Amino acid sequence: MDFSTLPPKLQTIFAPILQDKDALLPVEGVNPVLCTARQLEDALEDGDLSLSDVTALVQTLRDSAFLRRARRLHRYVGGAETTTTAKRLSAVAQRVIASLPVPTPEAFQAAVSPVRFAAVFTAHPTFALSNPVYAALADCASEDVLPDEAPFFETHRRDGPPTLEEEFTLATQAIIRARDAMDQLNGALLETAQQHWPESWASIIPRPVIATSWVGYDTDGRTDIGWWDTLRLRLRMKLFQLERLDQQISATGVSAPALTDRLHKAIACVKTQISATPTGPDAEAVAKFADALVNEHATALLNVDDLAEELDAAVKAAPPAAQLPLAVARAGFMAHGLALAHTHVRLNATQIHNFVRQKLDIPDDPANPAHRRALLNRLNEALESVQPVPVDFGALMSDPSTAGRLMMTVAQITKHIDSQTPVRFLIAETETGYTLLAALWAALHFGVADKVEISPLFETEDALSNGDRIVEEALRSPTWRAYVQRTGRISFQFGYSDSGRYVGQLAATYLIERLRLKIHDLLVRWNLQNVTVIFFDTHGESIGRGAHPFRMAGRLNYLSPTHVRTEFAKTGIACREETAFQGGDGYLLFGTPHLAGATLATIAENLFNPLHQEGDPVYEQPVFSADFFSSISEGMQALVEDPGYAALLGAFGPALIDRTGSRPPARQSAEAATSTRLTHPGQLRAIPNNAILQQLGWCANTLQGLGAAARRHPETFESFNTSSPRFHRALDFARHALTSSDDRVLQSVINLLDPSYWLDRATAEPKAPRRAAFLTVMQDLEKLNLSADLRTMFRRIQADHLALREAWEDAPHGAPLNRALHAIRVALIERIWILACRIPFFMPRGGFNRDVMMQQILRLEIPAVLKEMVHIFPSGTVASNLDFYEPRGPREQGIYEREHREIFLPMQQMFALLREISVGVMHDIGAFG
């Protein structure tokens, strides 16, 4: 970083804190973060520095973090050079050939035709950067030699939260690059097959990796996505798929008039269907849409088999140079059905329960264990007698239930858009087998059971600990077992963000791995070894969302350990792995063709590398492993229930982050947490919860409880750290968390919220106006009444951290750049609060008075306060020079210009800078939330 252009005063203040972490020696009683912040705030107060000086420093630190993030992204995927990626994919294809039981095209087809992996593109709220900055980050990470300077942007923030349409567009762009990379993999496989079996390779259709999406189809916790939105977006995905095939055929130069004529008619028809899609439940508009969709679905094509014969004929008849690219196009088309990506829909277990309760008149609560057996019996009886009902758009319009509408939407997709490709039906917060059976009843009721893959989402501590009970409750049902056997698949989804924030990330992953093994045992017990098991890991790109921080290969191995894969292989149970790529952060891994190719190459290597089951102490000493991860879970759960933890998250943390998704803000970040006092972390959504922890300088959901666990068995901890690949990979999360955390930053935040800190400052302050401001802040903080709980909570965190340091002597420390950004923010928060004390007296306005104003300012709800200030202290209107037919009176203009210039505008600018700092911190950590 080059600080030579910054004012000397700024260089002097920040030189100590920007030193290498080992050189920053602690001084007893002195917090270097707080000390630096105090010096900066004093310099701003005295006029020695300006806000523009601080802005320049923030931009310098932010851009340095941006470059570090680009370098990490480049390393994460194993480098992004196209020639290297091509070699990696070719090596994978050769490995497949070498591993065949017999060297025949039939054996090769059997190895590469089943779907082994799905990349699931979601719209989790991680769209934290403006789209040009995301593009620049991906471009930098794609360079063979990474740049020394970051491209300059005045701000890296978005202008506002993304809309659903924008999320869909961004997801589609990422999926297209992913599909191109999948074509590269399929091309390498087919080229290798062509070399080995030149006479028969053309019949091989590889599909080891597919793309999937729930963007526009996820209705869990949101009511702003209508069924018409889902159908419109699903039709657009169909159009993209048909247009992609048409473009690929055209690029080969092959003449296949029968194929292309049918394809062009389908494309025109789907465009008409999209144009006819209603924008709401207007009966006439829906009827016109039904006409276009129902009566023209044959022209629009109903499944990929409609073109299978023509595609096969085109490949066989093509000239040699065109055969391979045409075969690649066919493989991608056949693998994905009539959509650019497979479809996931999602809703909440409660919505399923409400639908079945109303339909079957079941009043009891499935969550009550006392009723569980009776409810399961009642539902099993209903499953034996359920008869499908017709589904049309009139029924869809009239159904008041979310679950009913979603299931009927799926029915319309499978009847009129794609009749062949199954739709994943994800159910959030599944905590009983009743939920699975209820979903199956609904699917049978609407006649789509064989077209949906019902999947529970295990994300709570109870669900992860007792997931085997939930699965077995469903397996005891003959109807459920018959459904699984008939479809040949059984699906499970695991959540990392919610589970990690309640039991700790390391403990959550241990519980998930253990649950996978229990599911294996259940399938063997119920003689279901012939079905394919789908494990969908809904983790993200940050350690707070379950992603390994250092390598994509490590991420895949961490989520799906060799030990688990070996156990399934021993009993012949086929497994399909699915991994989420969440929002803006996830799309980065497919942000350019170079990154997409490298990401796909890593996935392919993971799929086709031979399983080498080596001894690992984690599995050889299960008692220690269980005790260790249980201790982490206990430590994290105790922190979650600590009143000080909720106080920490809710004090002003939500105001530090921009809204980063289209999902309505119920239970999310600033709007929910600042309107009323946060009393439990559960009032925040998981990703904002994690993002706030990052911005407060302590990744508690990764670190808490680890010290207590290590202290119980310090020698074994050290031994496992060096001898167990699984344990070492888990501790990589802690390594990264410690690099991105600093207890002195957290202590500085807690000091800010402590009235005693401000009283001490007032006592030492010689200037009366400053002293009065410090006392005012102290008095208003007393009304929040947070400090006692915060101090107790901090002692809990600090004690666990100390225990970890004692057991793990070479554990990393926080990075200087991160520490400096936090110090600047502490200074700016102090500055905002002190400026607020200069706001003149005003009369209450609609319930807004000085006490309300100060409480909001202490919670950093600055935009809301400034909105009120505009009305209370208007800046005046431009004086008119028109003739009003009386003697001219004095024109008052700019009566409150001083307040706006000296208080409100600086507060607005500093608040914007606070959030710019948040982006810098996020870059330094590598992801949002």
mmCIF file of all heavy atoms in Angstrom, residues 31 39 63 129 191 422 467 471 490 535 549 554 742 763 849 860 881 892:
data_model
loop_
_atom_site.group_PDB
_atom_site.id
_atom_site.type_symbol
_atom_site.label_atom_id
_atom_site.label_comp_id
_atom_site.label_asym_id
_atom_site.label_seq_id
_atom_site.Cartn_x
_atom_site.Cartn_y
_atom_site.Cartn_z
ATOM 1 N N ASN A 31 -5.451 0.106 24.351
ATOM 2 C CA ASN A 31 -6.009 -0.595 23.207
ATOM 3 C C ASN A 31 -5.565 0.159 21.960
ATOM 4 O O ASN A 31 -5.981 1.307 21.739
ATOM 5 C CB ASN A 31 -7.545 -0.608 23.306
ATOM 6 C CG ASN A 31 -8.205 -1.355 22.168
ATOM 7 O OD1 ASN A 31 -7.739 -1.310 21.035
ATOM 8 N ND2 ASN A 31 -9.304 -2.021 22.459
ATOM 9 N N GLN A 39 -6.975 9.417 18.353
ATOM 10 C CA GLN A 39 -6.080 10.379 17.705
ATOM 11 C C GLN A 39 -6.707 10.921 16.416
ATOM 12 O O GLN A 39 -6.606 12.118 16.117
ATOM 13 C CB GLN A 39 -4.740 9.722 17.394
ATOM 14 C CG GLN A 39 -3.898 9.362 18.602
ATOM 15 C CD GLN A 39 -2.587 8.713 18.180
ATOM 16 O OE1 GLN A 39 -1.779 9.315 17.479
ATOM 17 N NE2 GLN A 39 -2.388 7.477 18.612
ATOM 18 N N ASP A 63 -9.028 -0.524 -1.492
ATOM 19 C CA ASP A 63 -8.491 -1.041 -2.755
ATOM 20 C C ASP A 63 -7.403 -2.084 -2.520
ATOM 21 O O ASP A 63 -7.259 -3.034 -3.300
ATOM 22 C CB ASP A 63 -7.951 0.114 -3.600
ATOM 23 C CG ASP A 63 -9.068 1.006 -4.141
ATOM 24 O OD1 ASP A 63 -10.247 0.629 -3.999
ATOM 25 O OD2 ASP A 63 -8.760 2.072 -4.690
ATOM 26 N N LEU A 129 -21.759 -5.665 -3.509
ATOM 27 C CA LEU A 129 -20.969 -4.742 -4.321
ATOM 28 C C LEU A 129 -21.775 -4.296 -5.530
ATOM 29 O O LEU A 129 -22.701 -4.995 -5.972
ATOM 30 C CB LEU A 129 -19.681 -5.405 -4.802
ATOM 31 C CG LEU A 129 -18.736 -5.987 -3.753
ATOM 32 C CD1 LEU A 129 -17.576 -6.701 -4.439
ATOM 33 C CD2 LEU A 129 -18.233 -4.906 -2.816
ATOM 34 N N GLU A 191 -13.836 -36.050 -26.395
ATOM 35 C CA GLU A 191 -12.629 -36.118 -27.214
ATOM 36 C C GLU A 191 -11.778 -37.323 -26.836
ATOM 37 O O GLU A 191 -11.223 -38.022 -27.714
ATOM 38 C CB GLU A 191 -11.827 -34.826 -27.044
ATOM 39 C CG GLU A 191 -10.636 -34.722 -27.977
ATOM 40 C CD GLU A 191 -9.949 -33.381 -27.881
ATOM 41 O OE1 GLU A 191 -10.195 -32.651 -26.900
ATOM 42 O OE2 GLU A 191 -9.151 -33.062 -28.781
ATOM 43 N N PRO A 422 -37.294 -33.509 -13.433
ATOM 44 C CA PRO A 422 -37.912 -33.360 -12.107
ATOM 45 C C PRO A 422 -37.627 -31.991 -11.501
ATOM 46 O O PRO A 422 -36.625 -31.345 -11.808
ATOM 47 C CB PRO A 422 -37.269 -34.476 -11.282
ATOM 48 C CG PRO A 422 -35.977 -34.768 -11.978
ATOM 49 C CD PRO A 422 -36.229 -34.530 -13.431
ATOM 50 N N GLY A 467 -31.818 -35.747 12.865
ATOM 51 C CA GLY A 467 -32.255 -35.913 11.488
ATOM 52 C C GLY A 467 -32.542 -37.347 11.117
ATOM 53 O O GLY A 467 -33.433 -37.621 10.301
ATOM 54 N N VAL A 471 -35.884 -38.791 9.199
ATOM 55 C CA VAL A 471 -35.844 -39.606 7.987
ATOM 56 C C VAL A 471 -36.542 -40.939 8.221
ATOM 57 O O VAL A 471 -37.313 -41.410 7.369
ATOM 58 C CB VAL A 471 -34.388 -39.827 7.532
ATOM 59 C CG1 VAL A 471 -34.328 -40.769 6.339
ATOM 60 C CG2 VAL A 471 -33.733 -38.492 7.196
ATOM 61 N N ILE A 490 -33.513 -40.025 -3.421
ATOM 62 C CA ILE A 490 -33.936 -39.472 -2.140
ATOM 63 C C ILE A 490 -33.012 -38.285 -1.852
ATOM 64 O O ILE A 490 -31.788 -38.397 -1.974
ATOM 65 C CB ILE A 490 -33.896 -40.519 -1.016
ATOM 66 C CG1 ILE A 490 -34.489 -39.945 0.275
ATOM 67 C CG2 ILE A 490 -32.505 -41.073 -0.774
ATOM 68 C CD1 ILE A 490 -34.778 -41.018 1.334
ATOM 69 N N PHE A 535 -27.229 -35.159 -1.833
ATOM 70 C CA PHE A 535 -26.871 -34.320 -0.687
ATOM 71 C C PHE A 535 -26.604 -32.902 -1.203
ATOM 72 O O PHE A 535 -25.628 -32.670 -1.934
ATOM 73 C CB PHE A 535 -25.614 -34.848 0.012
ATOM 74 C CG PHE A 535 -25.827 -36.102 0.807
ATOM 75 C CD1 PHE A 535 -24.922 -37.149 0.722
ATOM 76 C CD2 PHE A 535 -26.928 -36.241 1.653
ATOM 77 C CE1 PHE A 535 -25.107 -38.312 1.465
ATOM 78 C CE2 PHE A 535 -27.118 -37.393 2.389
ATOM 79 C CZ PHE A 535 -26.217 -38.432 2.304
ATOM 80 N N PRO A 549 -11.987 -21.693 3.503
ATOM 81 C CA PRO A 549 -11.491 -20.378 3.095
ATOM 82 C C PRO A 549 -10.331 -20.349 2.117
ATOM 83 O O PRO A 549 -10.063 -19.307 1.532
ATOM 84 C CB PRO A 549 -11.050 -19.756 4.434
ATOM 85 C CG PRO A 549 -10.660 -20.929 5.282
ATOM 86 C CD PRO A 549 -11.597 -22.035 4.885
ATOM 87 N N GLY A 554 -10.382 -27.780 -1.229
ATOM 88 C CA GLY A 554 -10.606 -27.977 0.198
ATOM 89 C C GLY A 554 -12.065 -27.817 0.566
ATOM 90 O O GLY A 554 -12.585 -28.527 1.429
ATOM 91 N N ASP A 742 -10.173 -9.500 15.759
ATOM 92 C CA ASP A 742 -9.258 -8.882 16.719
ATOM 93 C C ASP A 742 -10.078 -8.513 17.947
ATOM 94 O O ASP A 742 -11.008 -7.709 17.849
ATOM 95 C CB ASP A 742 -8.598 -7.642 16.112
ATOM 96 C CG ASP A 742 -7.406 -7.159 16.935
ATOM 97 O OD1 ASP A 742 -7.514 -7.152 18.179
ATOM 98 O OD2 ASP A 742 -6.379 -6.783 16.333
ATOM 99 N N THR A 763 -14.133 13.551 31.883
ATOM 100 C CA THR A 763 -13.300 13.927 33.033
ATOM 101 C C THR A 763 -11.941 14.459 32.589
ATOM 102 O O THR A 763 -11.395 15.390 33.195
ATOM 103 C CB THR A 763 -13.108 12.705 33.950
ATOM 104 O OG1 THR A 763 -14.385 12.217 34.366
ATOM 105 C CG2 THR A 763 -12.284 13.069 35.178
ATOM 106 N N ASN A 849 -38.823 13.238 18.845
ATOM 107 C CA ASN A 849 -38.287 14.265 19.729
ATOM 108 C C ASN A 849 -36.789 14.029 19.913
ATOM 109 O O ASN A 849 -36.199 13.139 19.300
ATOM 110 C CB ASN A 849 -39.030 14.275 21.064
ATOM 111 C CG ASN A 849 -39.006 12.911 21.745
ATOM 112 O OD1 ASN A 849 -38.035 12.162 21.620
ATOM 113 N ND2 ASN A 849 -40.075 12.565 22.439
ATOM 114 N N LEU A 860 -27.071 4.369 14.983
ATOM 115 C CA LEU A 860 -26.576 4.729 13.644
ATOM 116 C C LEU A 860 -27.647 4.656 12.566
ATOM 117 O O LEU A 860 -27.367 4.365 11.389
ATOM 118 C CB LEU A 860 -25.364 3.869 13.257
ATOM 119 C CG LEU A 860 -24.123 4.068 14.107
ATOM 120 C CD1 LEU A 860 -23.002 3.156 13.624
ATOM 121 C CD2 LEU A 860 -23.659 5.513 14.100
ATOM 122 N N ASN A 881 -38.491 36.502 -7.355
ATOM 123 C CA ASN A 881 -38.414 37.919 -7.709
ATOM 124 C C ASN A 881 -39.671 38.398 -8.415
ATOM 125 O O ASN A 881 -39.686 39.488 -8.999
ATOM 126 C CB ASN A 881 -37.194 38.167 -8.602
ATOM 127 C CG ASN A 881 -35.901 38.011 -7.832
ATOM 128 O OD1 ASN A 881 -35.797 38.471 -6.691
ATOM 129 N ND2 ASN A 881 -34.924 37.362 -8.453
ATOM 130 N N GLU A 892 -36.185 35.431 3.244
ATOM 131 C CA GLU A 892 -35.373 34.550 4.087
ATOM 132 C C GLU A 892 -34.994 33.309 3.280
ATOM 133 O O GLU A 892 -35.862 32.603 2.771
ATOM 134 C CB GLU A 892 -36.149 34.127 5.339
ATOM 135 C CG GLU A 892 -36.514 35.266 6.266
ATOM 136 C CD GLU A 892 -35.309 35.781 7.029
ATOM 137 O OE1 GLU A 892 -34.240 35.140 6.933
ATOM 138 O OE2 GLU A 892 -35.429 36.835 7.687
#
